[in-house]
Amino acid sequence: MSTSIDRRSLLIRGAAGLAASGTASALLGWDRAYAALAPFVHGVASGDPLPDAVVLWTRVTPHRHAQPGSGHGPAVDVRWEVSEDESFDRVVAHGRRRATARHDHTVHVDVTGLEPGTTYWYRFRALGVRSPVGRTRTAPAADADAAVRLGVVSCANYDWGFFGAYRHLAGQDVDAVLHLGDYIYEYGPEGPLGEGLPGPAAARHADPARECTTVTDYRIRHGCYRLDPDLQTLHARHPVIAVWDDHEIANDTWRDGAENHDPGEHSWASRSRGGRRAWLEWLPVRRTTGAAELRIHRRLRLGKHVDLWMLDERRFRDQQPDSAAFSAGSVDPTRNDPGRTMLGTKQADWLCGGLTKSEATWKVIGNQVPFFPTVLGPAYPGEVSAILEPVSPALAHEAVTQNVDDWDGYPAERRRLVAAMDRVRDVVILTGDVHQSYACEIPRDAGTYAVTGDSVAVELIAPGISSPSLSTIVAQFLPGADLALDAVEGSNERAFNPWIKFRESSRCGYLLVDLDAQRVRAQWWLADDAQTRRSPVRLAHTARVGRGTHRIS
Ligand SMILES: [Fe+2]
């Protein structure tokens, strides 16, 4: 048995033992993790697969006091190697990097010269020790007639539960995992959902024991999450294509602030820079050097059937209309301002232009917040909305909305994207954020959909990995009230939101999406109870979309 296998099983056992202690925050927990796993305490990862390249990641902990965010520890030489086989008899690429405190001792290697659609194994070596072995896979060649399978995840709140859905997805055979954001949560232990709300029944507490507001805090938080054995297993098994959402910095982030940001918590500029810097250090993302501005929105081609746009819906967006925090029934007329943007003009132009030019079978959008309209009353046909707007702007355009942090808060830009989708065919929007599972058709016009059934795209929404849905939170306040909420939401959907074809509003899990020349198949794999360690994860629902139909069946 090779050293690497020994260390990998040690990693899993060691990290599992650490998690079993109930908290990673105790110094003892760190000491145990360090003793079992050093210097590769946080495992290995890969991401952003291209046909000939993939990004490899690790963090080196040079000594016990060089915890994430500490700034401690000397520079360390790190060797890396990539092999066609798990025993490393056929090494095809290797090299060296230096891990330094400047980047929190994280290491990124953009390995090039690889073969398309190929599985590889990789490992690192530092301070005389080999890392656990990671497995990764390059993207299919752009003209390859390749079926593509993607895992889709978001919203892993450490304090609200366990990451069994990550562990289960690690066991699936996927080309890549899309992480649509809320990889970490910024909250302190006093309120994982904000001040004054009750916490989860089965809590564990992330380090640091305070709300994250500085680059040091965010580095510590990422380091804590990455001690989780299920998350380490997922990263070691599949390449991840990640974008941030709001909680990588603060709840309901927009361009110049966030709902969960107060002026006393450092300047927004320094806080957001810190959160984004830590994310770039700790996620296996390809860095764009020389770009005039930090840019994470990007397109990846996965064979001839999938063009994938990963969006950034936080860095450029205008502020949410009023009632952004718990925003049921926002009637803020600024919502309908035609100049409002979530993507920023450049990103919106880039997406619309790319959709129009794409020749892939499926145009897939890695989208953070729900795109489909949710209305709390009858939606008016577009022509009627236009007439009503000067008279009653609050009700114009899809009536009163439910959540203005999602696309319902940016209806003008959504209409622009709907028009672009209407010009191309077979757009599939993959979404996270909302901690519920949905399969929806995107109506061409919400006000006439009930009669015409016209849709321009489909949206498939992954539940949270461990973050609670609204009904989970309600159930915690008042057991049984979640059932009433579910009934109300269900009747509202039937009456006013007929484009919603499937909703599951209580369980955590992940989404598995298969795309080929003829159809998309989506499977929702849900955990019985994410607040229970080792909860079973089961296939809960399957939906299909035939090519050219924009229909969920
Ligand atoms: Fe979330």
mmCIF file of all heavy atoms in Angstrom, residues 380-397:
data_model
loop_
_atom_site.group_PDB
_atom_site.id
_atom_site.type_symbol
_atom_site.label_atom_id
_atom_site.label_comp_id
_atom_site.label_asym_id
_atom_site.label_seq_id
_atom_site.Cartn_x
_atom_site.Cartn_y
_atom_site.Cartn_z
ATOM 1 N N TYR A 380 -49.887 40.351 -14.622
ATOM 2 C CA TYR A 380 -50.537 40.985 -15.769
ATOM 3 C C TYR A 380 -49.766 40.664 -17.040
ATOM 4 O O TYR A 380 -48.535 40.607 -17.016
ATOM 5 C CB TYR A 380 -50.588 42.495 -15.585
ATOM 6 C CG TYR A 380 -51.371 42.928 -14.382
ATOM 7 C CD1 TYR A 380 -50.726 43.266 -13.206
ATOM 8 C CD2 TYR A 380 -52.761 42.976 -14.429
ATOM 9 C CE1 TYR A 380 -51.444 43.652 -12.094
ATOM 10 C CE2 TYR A 380 -53.485 43.362 -13.316
ATOM 11 C CZ TYR A 380 -52.823 43.694 -12.147
ATOM 12 O OH TYR A 380 -53.538 44.058 -11.040
ATOM 13 N N PRO A 381 -50.463 40.487 -18.157
ATOM 14 C CA PRO A 381 -49.741 40.349 -19.424
ATOM 15 C C PRO A 381 -48.852 41.566 -19.654
ATOM 16 O O PRO A 381 -49.148 42.667 -19.177
ATOM 17 C CB PRO A 381 -50.865 40.272 -20.462
ATOM 18 C CG PRO A 381 -52.058 39.806 -19.699
ATOM 19 C CD PRO A 381 -51.913 40.365 -18.317
ATOM 20 N N GLY A 382 -47.744 41.354 -20.382
ATOM 21 C CA GLY A 382 -46.768 42.415 -20.582
ATOM 22 C C GLY A 382 -47.380 43.707 -21.102
ATOM 23 O O GLY A 382 -47.044 44.800 -20.637
ATOM 24 N N GLU A 383 -48.331 43.595 -22.039
ATOM 25 C CA GLU A 383 -48.925 44.803 -22.610
ATOM 26 C C GLU A 383 -49.716 45.567 -21.545
ATOM 27 O O GLU A 383 -49.692 46.791 -21.486
ATOM 28 C CB GLU A 383 -49.856 44.461 -23.790
ATOM 29 C CG GLU A 383 -49.159 43.857 -25.002
ATOM 30 C CD GLU A 383 -48.854 42.385 -24.829
ATOM 31 O OE1 GLU A 383 -49.261 41.789 -23.805
ATOM 32 O OE2 GLU A 383 -48.171 41.812 -25.706
ATOM 33 N N VAL A 384 -50.418 44.831 -20.704
ATOM 34 C CA VAL A 384 -51.211 45.469 -19.651
ATOM 35 C C VAL A 384 -50.280 46.132 -18.634
ATOM 36 O O VAL A 384 -50.532 47.239 -18.151
ATOM 37 C CB VAL A 384 -52.138 44.438 -18.974
ATOM 38 C CG1 VAL A 384 -52.893 45.073 -17.816
ATOM 39 C CG2 VAL A 384 -53.082 43.837 -19.988
ATOM 40 N N SER A 385 -49.154 45.458 -18.304
ATOM 41 C CA SER A 385 -48.187 46.031 -17.374
ATOM 42 C C SER A 385 -47.688 47.367 -17.875
ATOM 43 O O SER A 385 -47.535 48.324 -17.112
ATOM 44 C CB SER A 385 -46.999 45.080 -17.186
ATOM 45 O OG SER A 385 -47.406 43.885 -16.597
ATOM 46 N N ALA A 386 -47.404 47.425 -19.177
ATOM 47 C CA ALA A 386 -46.877 48.663 -19.745
ATOM 48 C C ALA A 386 -47.896 49.791 -19.600
ATOM 49 O O ALA A 386 -47.537 50.940 -19.323
ATOM 50 C CB ALA A 386 -46.523 48.449 -21.215
ATOM 51 N N ILE A 387 -49.169 49.477 -19.747
ATOM 52 C CA ILE A 387 -50.206 50.500 -19.589
ATOM 53 C C ILE A 387 -50.332 50.910 -18.120
ATOM 54 O O ILE A 387 -50.483 52.084 -17.782
ATOM 55 C CB ILE A 387 -51.564 49.967 -20.113
ATOM 56 C CG1 ILE A 387 -51.461 49.714 -21.619
ATOM 57 C CG2 ILE A 387 -52.701 50.933 -19.800
ATOM 58 C CD1 ILE A 387 -52.607 48.898 -22.182
ATOM 59 N N LEU A 388 -50.231 49.915 -17.228
ATOM 60 C CA LEU A 388 -50.412 50.177 -15.800
ATOM 61 C C LEU A 388 -49.247 50.934 -15.174
ATOM 62 O O LEU A 388 -49.414 51.609 -14.167
ATOM 63 C CB LEU A 388 -50.564 48.848 -15.037
ATOM 64 C CG LEU A 388 -51.942 48.206 -15.008
ATOM 65 C CD1 LEU A 388 -51.844 46.892 -14.242
ATOM 66 C CD2 LEU A 388 -52.958 49.132 -14.344
ATOM 67 N N GLU A 389 -48.071 50.824 -15.764
ATOM 68 C CA GLU A 389 -46.860 51.282 -15.081
ATOM 69 C C GLU A 389 -46.935 52.729 -14.585
ATOM 70 O O GLU A 389 -46.604 52.995 -13.426
ATOM 71 C CB GLU A 389 -45.628 51.079 -15.965
ATOM 72 C CG GLU A 389 -44.344 51.416 -15.214
ATOM 73 C CD GLU A 389 -43.145 50.718 -15.812
ATOM 74 O OE1 GLU A 389 -43.261 50.141 -16.895
ATOM 75 O OE2 GLU A 389 -42.092 50.759 -15.170
ATOM 76 N N PRO A 390 -47.374 53.672 -15.427
ATOM 77 C CA PRO A 390 -47.416 55.050 -14.915
ATOM 78 C C PRO A 390 -48.456 55.223 -13.810
ATOM 79 O O PRO A 390 -48.327 56.088 -12.957
ATOM 80 C CB PRO A 390 -47.803 55.872 -16.153
ATOM 81 C CG PRO A 390 -47.671 54.961 -17.321
ATOM 82 C CD PRO A 390 -47.803 53.579 -16.815
ATOM 83 N N VAL A 391 -49.479 54.370 -13.813
ATOM 84 C CA VAL A 391 -50.563 54.507 -12.852
ATOM 85 C C VAL A 391 -50.203 53.808 -11.540
ATOM 86 O O VAL A 391 -50.397 54.332 -10.442
ATOM 87 C CB VAL A 391 -51.863 53.883 -13.426
ATOM 88 C CG1 VAL A 391 -53.021 54.148 -12.486
ATOM 89 C CG2 VAL A 391 -52.117 54.392 -14.822
ATOM 90 N N SER A 392 -49.665 52.624 -11.659
ATOM 91 C CA SER A 392 -49.410 51.814 -10.466
ATOM 92 C C SER A 392 -48.104 51.035 -10.638
ATOM 93 O O SER A 392 -48.119 49.833 -10.896
ATOM 94 C CB SER A 392 -50.585 50.844 -10.241
ATOM 95 O OG SER A 392 -50.349 50.067 -9.092
ATOM 96 N N PRO A 393 -46.982 51.729 -10.488
ATOM 97 C CA PRO A 393 -45.704 51.066 -10.773
ATOM 98 C C PRO A 393 -45.436 49.863 -9.885
ATOM 99 O O PRO A 393 -44.757 48.921 -10.283
ATOM 100 C CB PRO A 393 -44.675 52.175 -10.534
ATOM 101 C CG PRO A 393 -45.376 53.236 -9.771
ATOM 102 C CD PRO A 393 -46.820 53.138 -10.114
ATOM 103 N N ALA A 394 -45.986 49.880 -8.670
ATOM 104 C CA ALA A 394 -45.702 48.762 -7.766
ATOM 105 C C ALA A 394 -46.289 47.464 -8.296
ATOM 106 O O ALA A 394 -45.758 46.392 -8.054
ATOM 107 C CB ALA A 394 -46.268 49.061 -6.388
ATOM 108 N N LEU A 395 -47.390 47.554 -8.993
ATOM 109 C CA LEU A 395 -48.042 46.340 -9.464
ATOM 110 C C LEU A 395 -47.644 45.964 -10.889
ATOM 111 O O LEU A 395 -47.925 44.861 -11.332
ATOM 112 C CB LEU A 395 -49.565 46.506 -9.401
ATOM 113 C CG LEU A 395 -50.138 46.549 -7.984
ATOM 114 C CD1 LEU A 395 -51.649 46.758 -8.031
ATOM 115 C CD2 LEU A 395 -49.822 45.269 -7.239
ATOM 116 N N ALA A 396 -47.013 46.891 -11.572
ATOM 117 C CA ALA A 396 -46.670 46.584 -12.950
ATOM 118 C C ALA A 396 -45.613 45.490 -13.018
ATOM 119 O O ALA A 396 -44.849 45.302 -12.087
ATOM 120 C CB ALA A 396 -46.145 47.837 -13.640
ATOM 121 N N HIS A 397 -45.575 44.802 -14.134
ATOM 122 C CA HIS A 397 -44.562 43.781 -14.381
ATOM 123 C C HIS A 397 -44.585 42.677 -13.328
ATOM 124 O O HIS A 397 -43.883 42.719 -12.329
ATOM 125 C CB HIS A 397 -43.165 44.387 -14.467
ATOM 126 C CG HIS A 397 -43.061 45.442 -15.521
ATOM 127 N ND1 HIS A 397 -43.421 45.217 -16.822
ATOM 128 C CD2 HIS A 397 -42.661 46.727 -15.448
ATOM 129 C CE1 HIS A 397 -43.238 46.318 -17.524
ATOM 130 N NE2 HIS A 397 -42.783 47.248 -16.718
#
